[in-house]
Amino acid sequence: MKRYEPQKEEILSAGIDIGTSTTKIVISKFSLMNMAGGMHMPRIEIINTEVLHRSPIYRTPLLSTTTIDMKAVETLVEKEYSQAGIEPNDIQTGAVIITGETATKQNAQEMVHYLSEHAGEFLVATAGPDLEGIIAAKGSGAYEYSKKSGKVMANIDIGGGTANVAVYKSGKLCGTCTLHIGGRLIEFNGNHIQSVSPPIKKLFQQWGTTVREGDSRHLPEIKKLTDYMAAVIARMLKGELLVSDHPLLLGHEPNWQDEIETIMFSGGISECIYKYETLSAGGAHYDDIGELLAASLRESQELSSWTWVKPEETVRATVLGAGTQTTEISGATIHAESNDLPIRNLPVYQVRLGHELQEGIMKMSEAVKNAMDIYDPQREGQNFALYISEIPYLGFRDVQALAASILESMQLKPNRKQPLVIVLESDHAKVLGQTIKVQNPSQSIICIDQIRVEHGDYIDIGHLLQTSVVPVVIKTLTFHH
């Protein structure tokens, strides 16, 4: 009989973050090992994560205000790979994310696909504002802090164009919100204003103030603006935004219920507060309102009412949040249609039934709508997986009711021909998958269980193995130190 040898493997991951102001690249190495004994099903786990290379922080190359310079970005990536001593085909996983105002550029989607073809095996995500907030909270250490302390923690990631907020309690996502607040919303050239972004123009209009390109950078209105931004962040954290604050709101209102106890700032503006990075050439000189905004945050009476926790990462929070991967094996009793496999890069949306079936069923349609708002905001048919957790004991009738509610909610999706992908925390996949199939024989279903995932994770589901399990790669957009 063959002696059991633990299988060990090392894989390389790259995180590339192309933001409003800056572009950053991180290369990491993960050590994977089969932790199961010889007679058991394989259970692959990451046993070690090591950052091999961090790029300098580059100014994001743009051809114009609406177009990213794809060639220049590719040159930066090639340069950093060469510095790290790796080739594109050495990269087996990772994320290219386009964040902040850059995500609205005409060629943002094209840039992501271009890089994923030229820079290795990537998880491809253009992070929308909600997802960007979640990724940054994981990279800054806020998510981990909430998990360890049990506190309600808001991570406020402020870059060049947006402030992305994600609120966690004990490691569970409570909600998100995004504001047009960032360092590059007013840019200077020497002593004069070079540009004022549309949301800020709208705000000044509302105030009856005119601030134009060519005006002095020392206008008192500019400090008034950054102080106002700090006050808007405080009102947003309390869920008390005023109608007059709405020019700065991007998307939905704050959607968490819990009262926030602690706050953490990450992103370029928090770098202005904490100065973690060692910058060459005698320190950084910002031709924008970043330093003023950081000063307004520090001086804000309203914001001082919360406990401030220092981030582990400032300007690199998002890039460090963009790249670890774990591989798991599903439970052995699942329902999967092999002609739909493999599936790659499927975002996950969690639905907690709260151990109450009826209440859980009532949440289903809203959950599917929320999932579409995050992962398919343009309703282009981006598929996603529903992760159903906190499932109570289910009898036969209960399974039928749950199956019917899932099928009904999925009617909201623009493309109903896609496979319906359901991931369960507990061991119900086979019976739920088969019940859905009986209720709607034309619906293609992949229903797997015994996998733990979270909001904002991406999964790959591999081919069905001989042992009737599927390998599941969970690309957790988080960075474990």
Side-chain angles (χ1 to χ4, degrees), residues 72-99:
V73 172
E74 190 190 16
T75 305
L76 290 185
V77 173
E78 281 171 358
K79 179 181 161 192
E80 291 307 314
Y81 277 18
S82 145
Q83 292 269 314
I86 61 158
E87 297 287 330
N89 53 9
D90 295 334
I91 296 290
Q92 286 139 296
T93 186
V96 181
I97 49 177
I98 293 197
T99 55

PDB file of all heavy atoms in Angstrom, residues 72-99:
ATOM      1  N   ALA A  72       0.930  52.091 -21.078  1.00  0.00           N
ATOM      2  CA  ALA A  72       1.776  52.525 -19.943  1.00  0.00           C
ATOM      3  C   ALA A  72       1.544  51.642 -18.720  1.00  0.00           C
ATOM      4  O   ALA A  72       2.498  51.303 -18.001  1.00  0.00           O
ATOM      5  CB  ALA A  72       1.493  53.988 -19.615  1.00  0.00           C
ATOM      6  N   VAL A  73       0.290  51.247 -18.487  1.00  0.00           N
ATOM      7  CA  VAL A  73       0.011  50.355 -17.351  1.00  0.00           C
ATOM      8  C   VAL A  73       0.710  49.015 -17.581  1.00  0.00           C
ATOM      9  O   VAL A  73       1.353  48.463 -16.679  1.00  0.00           O
ATOM     10  CB  VAL A  73      -1.515  50.143 -17.135  1.00  0.00           C
ATOM     11  CG1 VAL A  73      -1.763  49.067 -16.081  1.00  0.00           C
ATOM     12  CG2 VAL A  73      -2.188  51.439 -16.703  1.00  0.00           C
ATOM     13  N   GLU A  74       0.611  48.506 -18.811  1.00  0.00           N
ATOM     14  CA  GLU A  74       1.265  47.222 -19.113  1.00  0.00           C
ATOM     15  C   GLU A  74       2.781  47.319 -18.888  1.00  0.00           C
ATOM     16  O   GLU A  74       3.409  46.414 -18.345  1.00  0.00           O
ATOM     17  CB  GLU A  74       0.972  46.792 -20.556  1.00  0.00           C
ATOM     18  CG  GLU A  74       1.440  45.366 -20.804  1.00  0.00           C
ATOM     19  CD  GLU A  74       1.401  44.951 -22.267  1.00  0.00           C
ATOM     20  OE1 GLU A  74       1.305  45.820 -23.150  1.00  0.00           O
ATOM     21  OE2 GLU A  74       1.492  43.740 -22.523  1.00  0.00           O
ATOM     22  N   THR A  75       3.371  48.447 -19.286  1.00  0.00           N
ATOM     23  CA  THR A  75       4.819  48.651 -19.098  1.00  0.00           C
ATOM     24  C   THR A  75       5.176  48.620 -17.610  1.00  0.00           C
ATOM     25  O   THR A  75       6.176  48.014 -17.209  1.00  0.00           O
ATOM     26  CB  THR A  75       5.250  49.993 -19.747  1.00  0.00           C
ATOM     27  OG1 THR A  75       4.830  49.975 -21.110  1.00  0.00           O
ATOM     28  CG2 THR A  75       6.741  50.195 -19.676  1.00  0.00           C
ATOM     29  N   LEU A  76       4.339  49.270 -16.784  1.00  0.00           N
ATOM     30  CA  LEU A  76       4.577  49.251 -15.320  1.00  0.00           C
ATOM     31  C   LEU A  76       4.546  47.823 -14.786  1.00  0.00           C
ATOM     32  O   LEU A  76       5.398  47.419 -13.988  1.00  0.00           O
ATOM     33  CB  LEU A  76       3.490  50.046 -14.581  1.00  0.00           C
ATOM     34  CG  LEU A  76       3.435  51.548 -14.714  1.00  0.00           C
ATOM     35  CD1 LEU A  76       2.364  52.116 -13.795  1.00  0.00           C
ATOM     36  CD2 LEU A  76       4.775  52.164 -14.355  1.00  0.00           C
ATOM     37  N   VAL A  77       3.525  47.070 -15.224  1.00  0.00           N
ATOM     38  CA  VAL A  77       3.366  45.687 -14.735  1.00  0.00           C
ATOM     39  C   VAL A  77       4.578  44.850 -15.160  1.00  0.00           C
ATOM     40  O   VAL A  77       5.157  44.124 -14.343  1.00  0.00           O
ATOM     41  CB  VAL A  77       2.044  45.068 -15.248  1.00  0.00           C
ATOM     42  CG1 VAL A  77       1.954  43.589 -14.890  1.00  0.00           C
ATOM     43  CG2 VAL A  77       0.838  45.810 -14.650  1.00  0.00           C
ATOM     44  N   GLU A  78       4.992  44.995 -16.426  1.00  0.00           N
ATOM     45  CA  GLU A  78       6.156  44.231 -16.922  1.00  0.00           C
ATOM     46  C   GLU A  78       7.411  44.571 -16.120  1.00  0.00           C
ATOM     47  O   GLU A  78       8.189  43.701 -15.747  1.00  0.00           O
ATOM     48  CB  GLU A  78       6.407  44.558 -18.404  1.00  0.00           C
ATOM     49  CG  GLU A  78       5.457  43.821 -19.340  1.00  0.00           C
ATOM     50  CD  GLU A  78       5.571  44.313 -20.777  1.00  0.00           C
ATOM     51  OE1 GLU A  78       6.364  45.251 -21.054  1.00  0.00           O
ATOM     52  OE2 GLU A  78       4.847  43.762 -21.631  1.00  0.00           O
ATOM     53  N   LYS A  79       7.569  45.865 -15.826  1.00  0.00           N
ATOM     54  CA  LYS A  79       8.738  46.331 -15.074  1.00  0.00           C
ATOM     55  C   LYS A  79       8.759  45.699 -13.674  1.00  0.00           C
ATOM     56  O   LYS A  79       9.787  45.216 -13.195  1.00  0.00           O
ATOM     57  CB  LYS A  79       8.695  47.863 -14.991  1.00  0.00           C
ATOM     58  CG  LYS A  79       9.847  48.480 -14.213  1.00  0.00           C
ATOM     59  CD  LYS A  79       9.692  49.994 -14.180  1.00  0.00           C
ATOM     60  CE  LYS A  79      10.513  50.595 -13.067  1.00  0.00           C
ATOM     61  NZ  LYS A  79      10.172  51.996 -12.834  1.00  0.00           N
ATOM     62  N   GLU A  80       7.584  45.670 -13.012  1.00  0.00           N
ATOM     63  CA  GLU A  80       7.519  45.118 -11.649  1.00  0.00           C
ATOM     64  C   GLU A  80       7.724  43.595 -11.651  1.00  0.00           C
ATOM     65  O   GLU A  80       8.347  43.054 -10.747  1.00  0.00           O
ATOM     66  CB  GLU A  80       6.191  45.490 -10.982  1.00  0.00           C
ATOM     67  CG  GLU A  80       6.066  46.968 -10.660  1.00  0.00           C
ATOM     68  CD  GLU A  80       7.240  47.515  -9.857  1.00  0.00           C
ATOM     69  OE1 GLU A  80       7.658  46.872  -8.872  1.00  0.00           O
ATOM     70  OE2 GLU A  80       7.748  48.594 -10.223  1.00  0.00           O
ATOM     71  N   TYR A  81       7.166  42.911 -12.664  1.00  0.00           N
ATOM     72  CA  TYR A  81       7.393  41.464 -12.775  1.00  0.00           C
ATOM     73  C   TYR A  81       8.891  41.191 -12.914  1.00  0.00           C
ATOM     74  O   TYR A  81       9.437  40.288 -12.290  1.00  0.00           O
ATOM     75  CB  TYR A  81       6.660  40.904 -13.998  1.00  0.00           C
ATOM     76  CG  TYR A  81       5.190  40.598 -13.778  1.00  0.00           C
ATOM     77  CD1 TYR A  81       4.501  41.144 -12.701  1.00  0.00           C
ATOM     78  CD2 TYR A  81       4.480  39.766 -14.641  1.00  0.00           C
ATOM     79  CE1 TYR A  81       3.146  40.875 -12.513  1.00  0.00           C
ATOM     80  CE2 TYR A  81       3.123  39.490 -14.456  1.00  0.00           C
ATOM     81  CZ  TYR A  81       2.469  40.051 -13.401  1.00  0.00           C
ATOM     82  OH  TYR A  81       1.141  39.775 -13.204  1.00  0.00           O
ATOM     83  N   SER A  82       9.547  42.011 -13.758  1.00  0.00           N
ATOM     84  CA  SER A  82      10.965  41.798 -14.005  1.00  0.00           C
ATOM     85  C   SER A  82      11.770  42.074 -12.724  1.00  0.00           C
ATOM     86  O   SER A  82      12.686  41.334 -12.381  1.00  0.00           O
ATOM     87  CB  SER A  82      11.356  42.682 -15.179  1.00  0.00           C
ATOM     88  OG  SER A  82      12.630  43.163 -15.034  1.00  0.00           O
ATOM     89  N   GLN A  83      11.379  43.113 -11.972  1.00  0.00           N
ATOM     90  CA  GLN A  83      12.030  43.411 -10.678  1.00  0.00           C
ATOM     91  C   GLN A  83      11.886  42.235  -9.710  1.00  0.00           C
ATOM     92  O   GLN A  83      12.780  41.923  -8.939  1.00  0.00           O
ATOM     93  CB  GLN A  83      11.360  44.626 -10.014  1.00  0.00           C
ATOM     94  CG  GLN A  83      11.569  45.927 -10.731  1.00  0.00           C
ATOM     95  CD  GLN A  83      12.801  46.663 -10.230  1.00  0.00           C
ATOM     96  OE1 GLN A  83      13.022  46.778  -9.046  1.00  0.00           O
ATOM     97  NE2 GLN A  83      13.607  47.133 -11.160  1.00  0.00           N
ATOM     98  N   ALA A  84      10.703  41.586  -9.770  1.00  0.00           N
ATOM     99  CA  ALA A  84      10.424  40.466  -8.854  1.00  0.00           C
ATOM    100  C   ALA A  84      11.019  39.160  -9.378  1.00  0.00           C
ATOM    101  O   ALA A  84      10.972  38.135  -8.705  1.00  0.00           O
ATOM    102  CB  ALA A  84       8.914  40.312  -8.666  1.00  0.00           C
ATOM    103  N   GLY A  85      11.545  39.210 -10.623  1.00  0.00           N
ATOM    104  CA  GLY A  85      12.164  38.018 -11.211  1.00  0.00           C
ATOM    105  C   GLY A  85      11.167  36.955 -11.632  1.00  0.00           C
ATOM    106  O   GLY A  85      11.424  35.759 -11.548  1.00  0.00           O
ATOM    107  N   ILE A  86       9.964  37.402 -12.092  1.00  0.00           N
ATOM    108  CA  ILE A  86       8.950  36.424 -12.526  1.00  0.00           C
ATOM    109  C   ILE A  86       8.448  36.738 -13.929  1.00  0.00           C
ATOM    110  O   ILE A  86       8.575  37.858 -14.410  1.00  0.00           O
ATOM    111  CB  ILE A  86       7.746  36.372 -11.551  1.00  0.00           C
ATOM    112  CG1 ILE A  86       7.065  37.740 -11.481  1.00  0.00           C
ATOM    113  CG2 ILE A  86       8.131  35.889 -10.169  1.00  0.00           C
ATOM    114  CD1 ILE A  86       5.655  37.661 -11.000  1.00  0.00           C
ATOM    115  N   GLU A  87       7.846  35.724 -14.554  1.00  0.00           N
ATOM    116  CA  GLU A  87       7.231  35.853 -15.884  1.00  0.00           C
ATOM    117  C   GLU A  87       5.716  35.858 -15.703  1.00  0.00           C
ATOM    118  O   GLU A  87       5.211  35.273 -14.744  1.00  0.00           O
ATOM    119  CB  GLU A  87       7.593  34.611 -16.734  1.00  0.00           C
ATOM    120  CG  GLU A  87       9.067  34.447 -17.014  1.00  0.00           C
ATOM    121  CD  GLU A  87       9.572  35.465 -18.018  1.00  0.00           C
ATOM    122  OE1 GLU A  87       8.777  35.889 -18.886  1.00  0.00           O
ATOM    123  OE2 GLU A  87      10.747  35.850 -17.904  1.00  0.00           O
ATOM    124  N   PRO A  88       4.965  36.455 -16.666  1.00  0.00           N
ATOM    125  CA  PRO A  88       3.496  36.429 -16.546  1.00  0.00           C
ATOM    126  C   PRO A  88       2.924  35.023 -16.340  1.00  0.00           C
ATOM    127  O   PRO A  88       2.010  34.827 -15.547  1.00  0.00           O
ATOM    128  CB  PRO A  88       3.016  37.035 -17.862  1.00  0.00           C
ATOM    129  CG  PRO A  88       4.134  37.918 -18.291  1.00  0.00           C
ATOM    130  CD  PRO A  88       5.402  37.250 -17.820  1.00  0.00           C
ATOM    131  N   ASN A  89       3.501  34.007 -17.050  1.00  0.00           N
ATOM    132  CA  ASN A  89       2.893  32.674 -16.907  1.00  0.00           C
ATOM    133  C   ASN A  89       3.268  31.979 -15.599  1.00  0.00           C
ATOM    134  O   ASN A  89       2.828  30.873 -15.331  1.00  0.00           O
ATOM    135  CB  ASN A  89       3.164  31.782 -18.131  1.00  0.00           C
ATOM    136  CG  ASN A  89       4.633  31.708 -18.465  1.00  0.00           C
ATOM    137  OD1 ASN A  89       5.454  32.180 -17.676  1.00  0.00           O
ATOM    138  ND2 ASN A  89       4.968  31.146 -19.607  1.00  0.00           N
ATOM    139  N   ASP A  90       4.055  32.659 -14.730  1.00  0.00           N
ATOM    140  CA  ASP A  90       4.299  32.120 -13.376  1.00  0.00           C
ATOM    141  C   ASP A  90       3.113  32.424 -12.454  1.00  0.00           C
ATOM    142  O   ASP A  90       2.952  31.823 -11.407  1.00  0.00           O
ATOM    143  CB  ASP A  90       5.553  32.772 -12.742  1.00  0.00           C
ATOM    144  CG  ASP A  90       6.830  32.415 -13.489  1.00  0.00           C
ATOM    145  OD1 ASP A  90       6.844  31.350 -14.134  1.00  0.00           O
ATOM    146  OD2 ASP A  90       7.794  33.200 -13.424  1.00  0.00           O
ATOM    147  N   ILE A  91       2.302  33.423 -12.853  1.00  0.00           N
ATOM    148  CA  ILE A  91       1.191  33.872 -12.001  1.00  0.00           C
ATOM    149  C   ILE A  91       0.004  32.933 -12.184  1.00  0.00           C
ATOM    150  O   ILE A  91      -0.488  32.751 -13.290  1.00  0.00           O
ATOM    151  CB  ILE A  91       0.777  35.322 -12.363  1.00  0.00           C
ATOM    152  CG1 ILE A  91       1.929  36.293 -12.064  1.00  0.00           C
ATOM    153  CG2 ILE A  91      -0.493  35.737 -11.635  1.00  0.00           C
ATOM    154  CD1 ILE A  91       2.229  36.520 -10.617  1.00  0.00           C
ATOM    155  N   GLN A  92      -0.452  32.335 -11.074  1.00  0.00           N
ATOM    156  CA  GLN A  92      -1.580  31.391 -11.181  1.00  0.00           C
ATOM    157  C   GLN A  92      -2.889  31.950 -10.634  1.00  0.00           C
ATOM    158  O   GLN A  92      -3.941  31.374 -10.830  1.00  0.00           O
ATOM    159  CB  GLN A  92      -1.243  30.100 -10.425  1.00  0.00           C
ATOM    160  CG  GLN A  92      -0.238  29.263 -11.190  1.00  0.00           C
ATOM    161  CD  GLN A  92       0.792  28.648 -10.267  1.00  0.00           C
ATOM    162  OE1 GLN A  92       1.564  29.346  -9.630  1.00  0.00           O
ATOM    163  NE2 GLN A  92       0.786  27.336 -10.166  1.00  0.00           N
ATOM    164  N   THR A  93      -2.815  33.035  -9.907  1.00  0.00           N
ATOM    165  CA  THR A  93      -4.046  33.627  -9.406  1.00  0.00           C
ATOM    166  C   THR A  93      -3.790  35.077  -9.064  1.00  0.00           C
ATOM    167  O   THR A  93      -2.660  35.548  -9.130  1.00  0.00           O
ATOM    168  CB  THR A  93      -4.578  32.872  -8.167  1.00  0.00           C
ATOM    169  OG1 THR A  93      -5.849  33.414  -7.830  1.00  0.00           O
ATOM    170  CG2 THR A  93      -3.657  33.023  -6.962  1.00  0.00           C
ATOM    171  N   GLY A  94      -4.844  35.774  -8.706  1.00  0.00           N
ATOM    172  CA  GLY A  94      -4.686  37.171  -8.324  1.00  0.00           C
ATOM    173  C   GLY A  94      -5.845  37.997  -8.829  1.00  0.00           C
ATOM    174  O   GLY A  94      -6.812  37.462  -9.349  1.00  0.00           O
ATOM    175  N   ALA A  95      -5.750  39.308  -8.648  1.00  0.00           N
ATOM    176  CA  ALA A  95      -6.853  40.181  -9.049  1.00  0.00           C
ATOM    177  C   ALA A  95      -6.321  41.434  -9.700  1.00  0.00           C
ATOM    178  O   ALA A  95      -5.361  42.028  -9.238  1.00  0.00           O
ATOM    179  CB  ALA A  95      -7.686  40.552  -7.832  1.00  0.00           C
ATOM    180  N   VAL A  96      -6.967  41.803 -10.804  1.00  0.00           N
ATOM    181  CA  VAL A  96      -6.758  43.128 -11.381  1.00  0.00           C
ATOM    182  C   VAL A  96      -8.005  43.896 -11.013  1.00  0.00           C
ATOM    183  O   VAL A  96      -9.110  43.493 -11.374  1.00  0.00           O
ATOM    184  CB  VAL A  96      -6.699  43.070 -12.930  1.00  0.00           C
ATOM    185  CG1 VAL A  96      -6.445  44.465 -13.482  1.00  0.00           C
ATOM    186  CG2 VAL A  96      -5.650  42.104 -13.411  1.00  0.00           C
ATOM    187  N   ILE A  97      -7.847  44.992 -10.276  1.00  0.00           N
ATOM    188  CA  ILE A  97      -9.044  45.756  -9.941  1.00  0.00           C
ATOM    189  C   ILE A  97      -8.859  47.202 -10.343  1.00  0.00           C
ATOM    190  O   ILE A  97      -7.784  47.766 -10.210  1.00  0.00           O
ATOM    191  CB  ILE A  97      -9.419  45.635  -8.444  1.00  0.00           C
ATOM    192  CG1 ILE A  97      -8.213  45.877  -7.580  1.00  0.00           C
ATOM    193  CG2 ILE A  97     -10.046  44.305  -8.129  1.00  0.00           C
ATOM    194  CD1 ILE A  97      -8.529  45.853  -6.134  1.00  0.00           C
ATOM    195  N   ILE A  98      -9.926  47.746 -10.887  1.00  0.00           N
ATOM    196  CA  ILE A  98      -9.908  49.142 -11.305  1.00  0.00           C
ATOM    197  C   ILE A  98     -10.860  49.853 -10.359  1.00  0.00           C
ATOM    198  O   ILE A  98     -12.030  49.490 -10.262  1.00  0.00           O
ATOM    199  CB  ILE A  98     -10.332  49.257 -12.781  1.00  0.00           C
ATOM    200  CG1 ILE A  98      -9.238  48.607 -13.636  1.00  0.00           C
ATOM    201  CG2 ILE A  98     -10.585  50.688 -13.158  1.00  0.00           C
ATOM    202  CD1 ILE A  98      -9.255  48.962 -15.079  1.00  0.00           C
ATOM    203  N   THR A  99     -10.332  50.823  -9.612  1.00  0.00           N
ATOM    204  CA  THR A  99     -11.106  51.350  -8.480  1.00  0.00           C
ATOM    205  C   THR A  99     -11.324  52.853  -8.611  1.00  0.00           C
ATOM    206  O   THR A  99     -10.677  53.529  -9.403  1.00  0.00           O
ATOM    207  CB  THR A  99     -10.377  51.040  -7.159  1.00  0.00           C
ATOM    208  OG1 THR A  99      -9.040  51.550  -7.236  1.00  0.00           O
ATOM    209  CG2 THR A  99     -10.324  49.553  -6.895  1.00  0.00           C
TER     210      THR A  99
END
